[in-house]
Every structure is written in structure tokens, then in C-alpha cells.
Amino acid sequence: MLALIPAFPLLGFLVNAALGRRLSKTLSGGIASAAMVASFLVSVAVVLGLAGLPPDRRAVEQTVYTWIASGDFVLDLTFRVDPLAAVMILIVSGVGALIHIYSTAYMHEEPDGEYARYFSYLNLFAAFMLVLVLGANFLVLFVGWEGVGLCSYLLIGFWFRKKSAADAGKKAFVVNRIGDYAFILGVLLLVSRFGTLDFQQLASAVSTLPVEEGVFGVLSIATLLLFIGATGKSAQIPLYTWLPDAMEGPTPVSALIHAATMVTAGVYMIGRNAVLFSHAPETMLIVAVVGALTALMAATIGLVQHDIKRVLAYSTVSQLGLMFLAMGVGAFGAGIFHLYTHAFFKALLFLGSGAVIHALHGEQDIRRMGGLRPYLPITYWTFLIGSLAIAGVPFLSGFFSKDEILYETFHEGHTLLWVMAAATSLLTATYMFRLVFLTFHGERQAGASGTPVGATGDPRRASPPDVDASEHRLGAEAHRPGAGLHGQAVDPHRHGAPAHLHDAPPAMGLVLVALAIGAVLAGYVGIPHALGGHNQLGAWLAPSFAPPGAPPLEAAALTAEETALELALMGVSSAIAIGGILLAAVIWLRRRELAAALAERYRAIHTLLLHKYYVDEIYDAAVVHPIQRGSEQGLWRGFDVAVVDGAVNGAGAIVAEGSGLLRRLQTGSVRAYAGSMFIGVVVILGYYLWR
């Protein structure tokens, strides 16, 4: 049954890609959503069967066919599900199905052909992600790894007529290729050293080797190269810049990329190869430091952004940093636990922001919102639950997973990294409730056209009347000039149209409620021992992080000192979360003038954060512009003309000259043909007589 899990969304892709323009929107969206629901149901059946097996035998494999056979090297297209893959397929198919259902309403304004194209891409994205997590070896994983990279390009640039969306798709594709280059080198190094790409065989071989303590050997180099690949896919320093720009795609795409699929691939890959990374402590330290730095840096940037989706984008980068921190300190279960809870509340937050954007007809600037709470009750309460969860408020899902990361980091002796993670938690609570207060509380702000959003007039017009609508971009959700939320035509001079605010339609509202329930309850599978729990998720995942055949480890009972330490750290993290919320309430709810005063007083810091530490500008100056200038000044052009074009044109010239010689023999003269035949006969006879 394992092959059916990615096969259903792949079938949905094929149907919509081939027949989508002939199908109604109801049928097109229904096929795509049904494919994901079917994949989820098969995943549930597989996981239930897996749970019935003994802990040391919880693995099911299905070999589809032999892919590569070369001498002693044989590699099969094999799917494998174990406790780690089980968690991932439930997240991808379950949360992915909800996002598909949400999209049926959110994207309904698209033309029929574009609507089908969207769902075909969405199904293909999910299919590749399921291949990635089910792959039993590096090559199958790499198919899914590259597939989600391709689909991210297609979905981020879905509204390709808008230059910023097309550029964002290309940026995501190129940046990921940089990481993938290192990833390929790491895989090649492993296969050259161990002669296999199978995860289980690699783990068995590595488990017999000594840990590379204090040295940077083959394993350290290979795992570091793999981690560089993960920094591209999971948006860590220095390859994180593509993720905020990915907000140019439709909001459900942002939810799918950030919550359930692509960005979690790097974290999953490290967890899948936990044995390899555990034998390379130098690489593990690099993973932890990069994760902590990324988490803190992204959180500071999110504190000052004005686009509702970009705040959430930097929040994703920050939360992924915490997951990598957990992986780097050896707390693999804690990292996957946070990945699991993050899927619920981050999907909820992105889809909630989509409901806000939907209600405001494309507006994304939180400075132009405010006072939306009474008009969007379902969106408000579900968004509030997601914000409380990501802030780490007891006893929601994010509290349990984030507390475990903080505890494991401190317990392993990484005090400085713990301080950085704690500061990240404070900033997370602060910027998330800045988002809540500016969007839903306070007074209604004036719309971009100068009238209150929802008043008489067309709220989709996000520019003053004297601005040419054909040159104005109406938020990141408008994909061509002069278009509304999903590209529908907008008359820039039309007045008097009803523009009432509306809450999420049923398909969107039900998904928000379902995800809100998950954001509340998902963490209860990992209640820590200090609170009298058993951390069932940690016990479930443990066999996936151990060498094959290793006896199952019984969870050691906490000593009194460890229990006291965990409770103390839990209290600190709770105080940090509540303190961040109160700080946001003082600045952006009670005394909003204080925010402007602080920005003015610390103008240099505020400008630095607002421009995201100028990282994009540095990349442009160091990489992009030199290549462009080199091309314009003939440096690259000379090589291109002399070598590349010379080789191509030279091959053509040789063929042309040879053809010219042959053409001269075709004179049409019978006498010339007879003479050439006579000469040919003489030459042949002379040759044989000479022999």
C-alpha cells in the first residue's frame, strides 16, 4: 500500500494537467482534494498497521522495481515507512488535504484553466514530498527533494504575469540549486565510501565506526555537505533569502510550503540520518549554531515587517532554526516534535492571513488593517489560537515542543545557545501579538484609496484615484496589473459598489477550525515526564534514530534534580511567552505611539531590521551585479562567443563545407557521371591488381 500514498496525488495531478480545462472548478478542485484525502486515509491505515508491530520491528518496505543494477551496486525504487516516516506522511497528507480543501474557495476567482493548473501543481507538490519522506535510500529521497524544488518554482511563480512573482520563483529555484549541489556531493561521498545509498545499510555500516570526535573526517565532511543542502531546502543561513520572497505565491501555497512540505525536508533528512550525524559531532555543533543564529536573526526581522505574510515567513525561518538547534544538540525527537506541532499552527496562521487578505480584497499591509475582530470572528479566534500556540503559551501545542527543545539544549550544556533560543521565544511572542493587535484590534484604518476598508467604494483599488491602475500592483495576491485579489478585472474608476467585509467562507472556515483544534491538542502526545506524562511521541520516534537491530531504549526516569531543572526551565519559557505578549500589548495595543517613538529613537537598528540586515543587497553586490556587469562588458560574452558559440558554429561550418564539396559532384551531366564511374572502376581494379 505504500506506493498508493504518493500515487493518489500523482493521479490527481495527471487528471487536472491533462483534462483540467475541460472540467468545472467543482470537479477540478474536488478531484485534487479527494486525491489528498485518499492518500491520508491510506497513510492512517499504514500507520495503524505499523503501531501493531513490536517497537523494534516497526518498519514496512515495498520495492516497486530494481532501478539501477551495475555490477555489485544494486539500487531499488523502494518505499519504507518507519515511525519517523509515519509522522511525516500523516502531516503531509493530512495538513495537505486541509490546504487543498481551503484552496477550493480561496482560488475560486481564477479562470477554469488556471484553477486546474493550480491544483495540478498542488497535487504534484504533495506527491513529490511523499516520495521524499517514504524513500528508503538517498536516490529516491533525492527525486522527491528535487521535485518539491521544481513545484515550489511553479507555485511561487503561479501568477507569472507579475514580475515579482516570476522573479521570486526563479530565486527559490536558483538558491535551492546551490544547496542541492552540496547535497549531491555529500551523497556521492557516502556512496564512494560505503558502496550503498540505502539508509539502513548506511546506518549499520556507520554504527561500527568510531565517533569522529575532534577530527573532521569523511563522515563530518559528508554530513556537512548534506547539511548545506538542508540550509537551502529549509531556509537557514546563508540560503534563507528565497523563503520570504516566496510570499508572492498564493497564500495556500505559502501554507503548504511553510507548514507541511518543502521547508521541513531538511529537518527530516537529518533525522533520517541521525546515526550518521551522531558520529560527526563537529558537524552537529555547526548545525546547532547555524540553527540558533537563524532563529534569532529571523525573529528580529519579523519584529518590524509590515506585510502580514512576510511576518509569518520570517517566523517560519525562525522556527526552523529552533528545529535545527534541536537536531544539532542531539535532541532528534524534540526537533521532529516541533516540526509536527509547527505544521498545525503555522498552516493555521497562513490560512488565517489568507482569510484576512480575502476579506480585504488583496490588502496585506497590517498598517492598513485594524479593528477587524468583530467582522471576522472565525478568522480572529482561530488566528489567536495559532498565535498563542507559536508563542509557547501553556498548555498549547507549541508550549510542549518548544519547551522540550529549550530543556534539551540547556541539559546538554549549550548555555549560550539556550539564551539565544530563549530570546527567540520572547521575540516570537512579541511579533506575533504585534501582528494580532495591529490586524484585529484598535480602530479601523483607512484603506489604500483613502476611505475606510469596507466603506463605499471599491476596496480592491489599492492606489489613489490619480494613479494609473494599469501600473499598480494590488498586493502580492494580484498577479497582473489592474487585477483584483485573484486577477479578476477591476475598474479603477468604479464607485458605489458594495464592499462589505466577510468572514471566511465555509470551506475555509472549517479548515481553520480543524487546524485550530490541532494547534491546541497536537502537543499532548509529548507531555514531558516532569509533568507526569510519558512523551509518547518521543518513545514512538526513538527506533528511527537508532542503528538497525539496536535494542529499544527504555526512557530513563528523571532524577529529582533533572525534574526540578525541567520544571524551572518550563516556568522560564512560560514567563517569556507571557512577557512577550504583554510587551506587545503595551506597545501596539495600549500605547501605539510608543512604537513610532522607539523606531525614531533607535532609527539605525530599526532601519537595519527593516532592510533585513541588507543580506539581499550584499548578495546582489557580491554575486548578481558582478555577473551582470561582466556580461555587459564582454568578459563573459567573450567566452560565450569564442568557446560556446565557436564550437556550435564551427560544427555547422564543417557540415556546410562538406556539403558544398558533395554538391559540386552533382552536376547533372551524364558524361561527367560516366567519367567518374570509369575512374572509380580503374581505381578499384588497380587496387586489386596491385594486391
Side-chain angles (χ1 to χ4, degrees), residues 150-163:
L150 168 65
C151 292
S152 68
Y153 164 76
L154 295 173
L155 285 167
I156 294 168
F158 176 75
W159 289 319
F160 56 87
R161 295 182 182 88
K162 186 177 67 173
K163 185 178 185 302

Side-chain angles (χ1 to χ4, degrees), residues 67-142:
W67 187 359
I68 298 173
S70 177
D72 294 333
F73 181 79
V74 177
L75 188 140
D76 297 326
L77 177 60
T78 301
F79 295 130
R80 186 176 189 273
V81 64
D82 65 351
L84 175 58
V87 172
M88 294 300 297
I89 60 175
L90 291 178
I91 293 172
V92 175
S93 61
V95 176
L98 293 175
I99 293 171
H100 277 68
I101 294 169
Y102 177 99
S103 296
T104 58
Y106 189 86
M107 299 295 290
H108 201 265
E109 297 300 323
E110 293 293 323
D112 289 357
E114 297 296 286
Y115 191 80
R117 180 168 68 90
Y118 169 82
F119 276 105
S120 67
Y121 291 168
L122 215 60
N123 268 174
L124 186 63
F125 200 165
F128 274 126
M129 188 65 193
L130 289 166
V131 168
L132 189 155
V133 300
L134 285 171
N137 56 66
F138 266 111
L139 206 55
V140 178
L141 178 145
F142 190 69

Side-chain angles (χ1 to χ4, degrees), residues 225-244:
L225 289 169
L226 295 177
F227 172 61
I228 294 173
T231 62
K233 200 65 67 182
S234 295
Q236 298 295 286
I237 293 173
L239 300 178
Y240 70 93
T241 55
W242 67 270
L243 193 58

